[in-house]
Structures are given as structure tokens and as C-alpha cells.
Amino acid sequence: MEGRWKELKGNVREHWGKLTDDDIEEAKGKRDVLLGKIQAKYGIAKEEAEKQIDQWVDKLNSK
């Protein structure tokens, strides 16, 4: 994710609309940071956030 972060930022915003520009900038493609931001903004467990990220990555890779 880190290598493609600039092109993925817009897609992150579409998928997780509660994340702010600052949240997305802080993540900088780092999965663990993105995971924490999603957990905090959506009030979900780590496992659920991981599942959402995995599904999002799979969807991107299938395009």
C-alpha cells in the first residue's frame, strides 16, 4: 500500500468517508496506522477493521 498511497488516497476516502484528510495523510499507506484510524472513527473491533481492509485490498487487486 505504501508504494501506491498517492493513487489510493482518493479510494480510501470513498471507502471510509469518516476519515479526514489528516487521518489519511497520517496513515501514509501504513496498514497498522490505517487500521487504528478506521477502528477509532467507526468504533469497530480490530478484527472487523482488518477484515474491511483485506476486502478493500482484494477489491483493488481484482481491478
Side-chain angles (χ1 to χ4, degrees):
M1 273 190 334
E2 286 183 61
R4 297 178 53 201
W5 192 242
K6 284 188 179 188
E7 65 184 88
L8 295 177
K9 287 193 289 188
N11 197 283
V12 170
R13 160 75 31 96
E14 287 177 28
H15 199 81
W16 292 285
K18 290 184 181 181
L19 296 181
T20 65
D21 288 338
D22 289 341
D23 292 332
I24 293 169
E25 278 304 311
E26 278 184 52
K28 293 184 182 157
K30 293 182 176 76
R31 183 185 174 95
D32 59 329
V33 177
L34 181 60
L35 180 66
K37 298 287 181 189
I38 293 169
Q39 282 181 262
K41 293 288 181 172
Y42 287 87
I44 58 176
K46 181 178 180 180
E47 293 78 17
E48 177 59 28
E50 287 175 331
K51 180 180 167 186
Q52 287 184 18
I53 291 173
D54 288 342
Q55 290 173 340
W56 174 71
V57 169
D58 288 345
K59 184 178 169 185
L60 290 174
N61 289 335
S62 69
K63 286 185 177 181

